[in-house]
Amino acid sequence: MDPQLQQAQLAAILGADPSPFETLISHLIQEATAQEALELLIELAGTEPRFLRRQLVEVVGSMLQIAEAETLEEGTRHLAIEFVITLAEARERAPGMMRKLPQFISRLFGILLRMLLDIEDEPAWHTAENEDEDAGESSNYSVGQECLDRLAIALGGNTIVPVASEQLPAYLAAPEWQKHHAALIALAQIAEGCSKVMIKNLEQVVSMVLNSFQDPHPRVRWAAINAIGQLATDLGPDLQVQYHQRVLPALATAMDDFNNPRVQAHAASAVLNFSENCTPDILTPYLDGIVSKLLVLLQNGKQMVQEGALTALASVADSSQEHFQKYYDAVMPYLKAILVNANDKANRMLRAKAMECISLVGMAVGKEKFRDDAKQVMEVLMSLQGSQMETDDPTTSYMLQAWARLCKCLGQDFLPYMSVVMPPLLQSAQLKPDVVITSADSDNEIDESDDESMETITLGDKRIGIKTSVLEEKATACNMLCCYADELKEGFYPWIDQVAPTLVPLLKFYFHEEVRKAAVSAMPELLRSAKLAIEKGLAQGRNESYIKQLSDYIVPSLVEALHKEPDTEICASMLDALNECIQVSGPLLDENQVRSIVDEIKQVITASSSRKTERAERAKAEDFDAEEGELLKEENEQEEEVFDQIGEILGTLIKTFKASFLPFFDEMSSYLMPMWGKDKTAEERRIAICIFDDVAEQCREAALKYYDTYLPFLLEACNDENPDVRQAAVYGLGVCAEYGGSAIKPLVGEALSRLNVVIRHPNALQPENVMAYDNAVSALGKICQFHRDSIDSAQIIPAWLSCLPIKGDLIEAKVVHELLCSMVERSDMELLGPNNQYVPKIVSVFAEILCAGKDLATEQTINRIVNLLRQLQQTLPPATFASTWASLQPQQQLAIQSFLTS
């Protein structure tokens, strides 16, 4: 709605009073009018928050007064809270504005905490039948819970944690169980938004929660377990690494609470949260205890407890991988029994979770251990697949995922089952979304009262409601198709003709991001599968023209989808997928397709730049603060991912088409040149340099015409403060030294002094600088090789030798050490030195290379080194050889000896 119109409507409701907010308070006697006014204010807070800035203190003060007024209807108070939260969330339009009002934030936090006290201890909660998870919770309670989460995400930890630390201890010290419960629920709700700050105060947070594991009231113990589960997700893996020795035993003890099955089940699901962010070495010492407890819970009469135990077992197996093998024989019979016997309607979820657990355990222990049981499990799944299932049966989606895991575990042995798996999978992937469309400004809300959850999104002037269960099944199916193509490679070939027309249109499925992401990832997999099948002669007589046909379908569709993609992260994935597709079918692309890719890249660069400009504008807002700066930085990092992928694609196109791509490169130069600018991020500068490096390396003579433009930038970038930029620049100098001939001659002197700065830097060999150092040494070697007549070689060649061997960049190491071999083979006088003075150094470099196995040299180079060492042994004067030998370390002498005698 137009802001002026909103303001006019407000004035009409409130009267043209100079201070509308006092009027609002006095109007509250007529609550219906007030609710209408509040709804308009909420809309205003979302669309034009800065309009309220001048009266911010009065407005927010009045709203909190309404929220605190117990005589008012709940609905009115909830609207007042919604208004304040909406203002806090209006980050793009009024960054940082609400953080300027700490006194109000503290009051709001207090109001939300008090709302969490509105909870009854319902008997239904204790019986632990699935449906009653939220028994006894009021609408106040659920609004309080949701708003704490939103407030923390909107304002961040630096603002919320001090308020929480001030208010929660009193709640934890109070006698009423409701207060303990509220404090723990609040802690779990704010964890996501406050994770960075809470990680710094882990000790305090973890102790606060673990103390409540002993609370006499089961609902408080449940809330403490719930908090640990949430913290394990939001503060992992720090929490796991630092506190496993306190958290896991506490959860294991909670699993023994047989009088409170709901607490037991929740402890099992917290084990799931804990292990998802956990490495095998942390988990393994606890496995004996945890697995044996979970097996006890599996045999419990309560379905909810059994389901919790299954999910936890699955996750523990997934996190401990091969360490789970020793429990396999104890666990698998129980899982198979559930799969076979839990077949009435009430147990559908239990059976579904058993499938999930079996398939994850199978993946963890591997094909050899799992093979015999896998056959039985597949028989059960096949018979289930053939049976009629109701539409709301969870089995379908669990089964899709279980099949895909079984495929990952069995690899090519899974192929015989594909004819059973694929038809229903394609059906799920082709599900039409269940959609209701109304206009965005119509008042009739989309009816969400059905038993299925509806999600609403606004697209332009339409409001669209969609059944989420259908979307989730569709997304799962698309992910699984991608999985099969990736796992089975050429074995997936027979299905490509059905899968491609299913997934390609979903590149533009705007109702659900997961569906688009899966479709995007599948594109290169389909092309790869087709190419491998044709290369291995498995394509029923089809030839390369089939790959061309498939590529002609996929590549333009990806380019078109990229053009319309609203989400930056998915943009980056699309560019990545496009790059992989070009790598598979590169030479088959025709000029028009290359043209459309280049045009789209220009478009992406332009769109990205304008998003950056918009963010820079946001940073100028009057309330902009450090927290907003952090969030902006994260958004900009996503942009870098986009630029990264652009660099990769251009690199692939240059490698594929070489000089015939240069006319396109010329067109791009007005987009790429600005990326060299000092005002750009280091990542953008690095990408720009890498693109030029690719042109120089792949196009050789054809690229010489660019040297005048780019070399001055390249030389300057050699001494950039960022090590990644330096690495790309000195690598480029090496390329130009190798292929630049006379074009680089006049600049050799400057190149040497630039390389010298990198090589002589006091911290050159620190981990962050070593790649730049190694590439500089490599470039120096190429100058010695190709431009010896332009340098003082008696000085520079020994200086180069003194830097060897290089050990950081293993690709360059192989190049450099091969060059060293060639120079020794042709008895290069300046390398060997007067009276063979540098031979001991050369032998010790060779010894270090041999000690490193295959890391620092190719097999061919290693053989050449061994031959050279044999020759030196024969040709050097015995005294020289003996002193050279004595200068080596014992393990180097051993390495050389074993090579010389083998």
Side-chain angles (χ1 to χ4, degrees):
M1 186 193 288
D2 173 34
Q4 262 120 6
L5 192 62
Q6 279 177 337
Q7 292 160 27
Q9 283 187 321
L10 262 179
I13 294 175
L14 301 174
D17 192 294
S19 168
F21 300 102
E22 289 165 30
T23 320
L24 181 58
I25 302 294
S26 62
H27 268 64
L28 278 172
I29 306 104
Q30 310 149 315
E31 272 198 63
T33 321
Q35 289 195 5
E36 202 181 320
L38 281 168
E39 280 166 4
L40 275 169
L41 277 166
I42 289 170
E43 210 170 315
L44 185 66
T47 52
E48 293 294 328
R50 290 162 78 172
F51 165 70
L52 298 161
R53 191 169 180 274
R54 285 198 300 283
Q55 294 117 329
L56 197 60
V57 175
E58 296 90 328
V59 184
V60 176
S62 311
M63 290 297 172
L64 294 179
Q65 225 174 315
I66 297 172
E68 287 162 337
E70 298 193 358
T71 52
L72 295 175
E73 280 177 28
E74 261 182 24
T76 309
R77 296 167 65 193
H78 293 175
L79 282 170
I81 291 169
E82 179 62 33
F83 171 84
V84 183
I85 301 275
T86 304
L87 264 188
E89 286 175 330
R91 267 201 36 240
E92 295 204 354
R93 297 194 166 83
M97 184 165 82
M98 279 299 288
R99 279 195 215 97
K100 301 286 185 290
L101 303 176
Q103 71 283 19
F104 287 146
I105 290 160
S106 178
R107 244 174 95 187
L108 176 59
F109 195 85
I111 293 169
L112 297 175
L113 263 184
R114 287 197 292 285
M115 290 170 81
L116 293 181
L117 298 175
D118 194 350
I119 182 170
E120 300 292 327
D121 195 11
E122 289 268 344
W125 188 87
H126 297 271
T127 60
E129 298 311 329
N130 266 345
E131 292 71 55
D132 305 315
E133 173 109 314
D134 44 13
E137 296 174 9
S138 61
S139 68
N140 263 336
Y141 179 91
S142 40
V143 169
Q145 216 179 353
E146 179 204 344
C147 289
L148 278 164
D149 178 40
R150 287 169 58 196
L151 188 66
I153 289 171
L155 298 181
N158 290 330
T159 304
I160 295 295
V161 169
V163 176
S165 320
E166 192 187 323
Q167 297 188 21
L168 295 180
Y171 268 59
L172 286 166
E176 305 87 339
W177 73 266
Q178 288 91 336
K179 287 199 166 169
H180 293 199
H181 187 270
L184 293 161
I185 294 293
L187 202 58
Q189 291 304 97
I190 64 173
E192 183 185 351
C194 302
S195 56
K196 284 185 183 144
V197 180
M198 281 167 90
I199 284 172
K200 293 182 193 140
N201 306 306
L202 261 182
E203 169 61 44
Q204 199 185 342
V205 175
V206 172
S207 302
M208 202 189 269
V209 179
L210 288 180
N211 290 341
S212 302
F213 269 55
Q214 315 304 325
D215 195 278
H217 200 292
R219 289 200 82 151
V220 174
R221 296 200 297 279
W222 183 94
I225 292 166
N226 181 61
I228 278 291
Q230 196 57 53
L231 295 174
T233 301
D234 294 326
L235 312 184
D238 305 69
L239 179 122
Q240 283 81 340
V241 171
Q242 294 172 38
Y243 293 99
H244 56 91
Q245 70 287 17
R246 285 168 61 188
V247 172
L248 284 170
L251 288 173
T253 309
M255 282 193 247
D256 292 336
D257 191 350
F258 286 94
N259 297 327
N260 292 287
R262 197 179 287 280
V263 173
Q264 271 182 306
H266 215 47
S269 41
V271 168
L272 153 88
N273 299 76
F274 190 91
S275 55
E276 278 184 333
N277 242 331
C278 201
T279 49
D281 51 310
I282 291 178
L283 209 50
T284 309
Y286 301 96
L287 286 178
D288 283 2
I290 288 177
V291 173
S292 59
K293 296 221 166 172
L294 289 172
L295 281 178
V296 173
L297 298 192
L298 264 192
Q299 298 157 72
N300 185 299
K302 286 279 182 207
Q303 189 177 334
M304 180 184 192
V305 176
Q306 289 178 301
E307 284 177 19
L310 281 171
T311 319
L313 268 174
S315 149
V316 166
D318 191 30
S319 303
S320 55
Q321 288 300 308
E322 66 280 3
H323 299 286
F324 200 80
Q325 287 196 352
K326 70 184 251 202
Y327 309 102
Y328 181 86
D329 298 331
V331 172
M332 194 48 85
Y334 285 112
L335 300 180
K336 287 197 306 195
I338 295 176
L339 183 65
V340 175
N341 301 326
N343 41 21
D344 55 344
K345 184 166 180 176
N347 288 327
R348 292 188 310 194
M349 195 60 181
L350 191 62
R351 184 175 63 190
K353 299 235 163 163
M355 280 176 205
E356 170 179 65
C357 190
I358 290 171
S359 57
L360 278 162
V361 166
M363 271 176 75
V365 299
K367 178 157 136 178
E368 294 317 310
K369 185 92 178 146
F370 181 50
R371 181 177 277 134
D372 297 339
D373 289 314
K375 287 210 174 58
Q376 284 172 282
V377 171
M378 311 261 245
E379 294 302 323
V380 178
L381 291 186
M382 289 202 303
S383 68
L384 272 175
Q385 186 118 317
S387 63
Q388 243 352 86
M389 280 189 239
E390 296 177 24
T391 47
D392 62 341
D393 191 334
T395 313
T396 312
S397 137
Y398 277 86
M399 195 146 54
L400 295 181
Q401 296 180 58
W403 279 124
R405 289 192 202 102
L406 292 167
C407 170
K408 266 205 172 349
C409 176
L410 300 174
Q412 299 294 323
D413 294 357
F414 187 81
L415 282 172
Y417 298 95
M418 285 293 282
S419 53
V420 178
V421 172
M422 284 298 286
L425 186 57
L426 281 162
Q427 212 176 335
S428 296
Q430 289 160 359
L431 282 172
K432 293 273 177 281
D434 203 338
V435 178
V436 186
I437 301 180
T438 61
S439 76
D441 43 13
S442 82
D443 289 340
N444 34 357
E445 280 297 307
I446 289 171
D447 184 20
E448 298 189 16
S449 59
D450 291 3
D451 54 345
E452 295 238 28
S453 53
M454 295 287 280
E455 192 180 332
T456 52
I457 52 176
T458 305
L459 276 180
D461 56 355
K462 297 276 180 278
R463 188 180 293 139
I464 301 173
I466 310 173
K467 265 192 188 160
T468 47
S469 57
V470 174
L471 291 183
E472 273 151 26
E473 183 181 332
K474 189 176 179 75
T476 303
C478 295
N479 269 314
M480 299 307 119
L481 287 171
C482 192
C483 232
Y484 288 124
D486 171 41
E487 187 59 42
L488 297 171
K489 307 274 186 288
E490 64 276 11
F492 193 72
Y493 169 80
W495 303 98
I496 295 177
D497 286 347
Q498 284 169 274
V499 173
T502 301
L503 291 182
V504 166
L506 298 179
L507 294 169
K508 294 193 285 198
F509 187 81
Y510 300 113
F511 297 128
H512 200 286
E513 284 183 7
E514 285 307 310
V515 172
R516 292 206 302 290
K517 281 183 190 164
V520 170
S521 318
M523 295 300 117
E525 300 300 348
L526 295 178
L527 276 172
R528 227 177 258 130
S529 166
K531 189 174 185 179
L532 282 169
I534 284 165
E535 284 169 0
K536 296 187 178 182
L538 304 170
Q540 297 117 17
R542 277 177 166 170
N543 59 17
E544 199 175 49
S545 65
Y546 175 66
I547 306 174
K548 166 88 176 127
Q549 189 188 328
L550 190 61
S551 162
D552 287 348
Y553 178 42
I554 286 177
V555 171
S557 307
L558 252 177
V559 172
E560 190 188 336
L562 181 60
H563 191 68
K564 297 182 172 161
E565 178 52 54
D567 179 277
T568 311
E569 193 185 336
I570 297 180
C571 259
S573 310
M574 285 180 165
L575 287 163
D576 184 29
L578 187 56
N579 180 37
E580 287 187 42
C581 290
I582 301 168
Q583 285 169 355
V584 178
S585 60
L588 302 173
L589 295 177
D590 61 43
E591 192 174 337
N592 288 336
Q593 289 170 331
V594 176
R595 143 90 35 238
S596 71
I597 292 170
V598 169
D599 286 345
E600 191 45 46
I601 290 175
K602 294 180 193 167
Q603 192 61 42
V604 171
I605 294 177
T606 309
S608 182
S609 306
S610 64
R611 286 194 296 267
K612 283 185 167 165
T613 314
E614 206 175 293
R615 279 184 211 118
E617 280 307 304
R618 234 161 61 198
K620 295 179 191 156
E622 50 273 274
D623 299 302
F624 192 82
D625 58 11
E627 299 244 347
E628 288 302 319
E630 274 294 296
L631 294 162
L632 274 194
K633 202 167 109 202
E634 283 169 23
E635 289 176 37
N636 277 329
E637 277 164 13
Q638 261 195 340
E639 274 332 316
E640 303 220 317
E641 186 53 36
V642 169
F643 273 100
D644 232 357
Q645 298 300 346
I646 288 172
E648 294 290 331
I649 288 189
L650 288 173
T652 302
L653 288 167
I654 293 161
K655 288 184 187 83
T656 307
F657 297 105
K658 304 220 170 353
S660 55
F661 184 72
L662 291 178
F664 292 106
F665 175 72
D666 296 338
E667 265 182 54
M668 294 283 313
S669 64
S670 60
Y671 292 82
L672 300 175
M673 274 316 277
M675 290 169 62
W676 292 74
K678 276 273 181 271
D679 56 329
K680 294 294 185 275
T681 64
E683 188 55 17
E684 281 177 72
R685 293 202 302 278
R686 181 192 71 76
I687 293 161
I689 294 168
C690 288
I691 295 169
F692 170 71
D693 292 354
D694 284 335
V695 168
E697 187 169 5
Q698 301 293 330
C699 307
R700 305 194 179 178
E701 292 74 50
L704 296 177
K705 57 181 179 183
Y706 301 112
Y707 279 35
D708 283 353
T709 312
Y710 287 101
L711 271 176
F713 285 111
L714 200 64
L715 287 163
E716 192 177 343
C718 288
N719 303 137
D720 194 278
E721 70 279 6
N722 179 286
D724 297 334
V725 174
R726 289 202 297 278
Q727 179 191 344
V730 295
Y731 175 80
L733 270 189
V735 170
C736 295
E738 186 168 348
Y739 302 118
S742 56
I744 194 170
K745 275 267 182 288
L747 294 168
V748 167
E750 189 184 345
L752 285 176
S753 63
R754 295 281 183 175
L755 293 173
N756 190 41
V757 172
V758 178
I759 293 170
R760 297 269 168 265
H761 192 284
N763 298 330
L765 293 172
Q766 291 295 321
E768 67 276 13
N769 297 324
V770 75
M771 298 295 274
Y773 173 85
D774 285 1
N775 281 272
V777 173
S778 177
L780 184 57
K782 287 178 177 171
I783 290 177
C784 296
Q785 184 182 1
F786 296 101
H787 299 277
R788 189 171 294 205
D789 52 347
S790 308
I791 61 172
D792 173 2
S793 45
Q795 200 183 350
I796 287 175
I797 289 176
W800 173 70
L801 176 63
S802 70
C803 300
L804 303 186
I806 57 173
K807 303 177 188 168
D809 186 330
L810 300 183
I811 297 175
E812 287 308 302
K814 295 183 177 75
V815 174
V816 171
H817 301 146
E818 184 184 3
L819 171 63
L820 176 66
C821 262
S822 305
M823 289 167 77
V824 179
E825 281 166 349
R826 57 166 194 262
S827 304
D828 190 309
M829 293 321 298
E830 282 146 330
L831 180 71
L832 301 174
N835 308 322
N836 290 332
Q837 139 184 12
Y838 303 132
V839 167
K841 171 63 184 169
I842 293 170
V843 172
S844 96
V845 172
F846 282 167
E848 274 196 77
I849 294 171
L850 294 180
C851 280
K854 294 188 178 159
D855 280 352
L856 303 183
T858 60
E859 207 156 322
Q860 198 186 0
T861 305
I862 288 176
N863 293 333
R864 288 166 67 187
I865 289 177
V866 173
N867 287 334
L868 284 168
L869 287 168
R870 287 199 180 113
Q871 278 173 27
L872 288 168
Q873 196 175 3
Q874 285 153 14
T875 54
L876 284 179
T880 315
F881 192 82
S883 66
T884 300
W885 187 254
S887 68
L888 296 177
Q889 292 163 356
Q891 84 259 31
Q892 293 177 332
Q893 294 177 345
L894 280 173
I896 290 185
Q897 233 153 2
S898 75
F899 272 103
L900 290 181
T901 51
S902 64

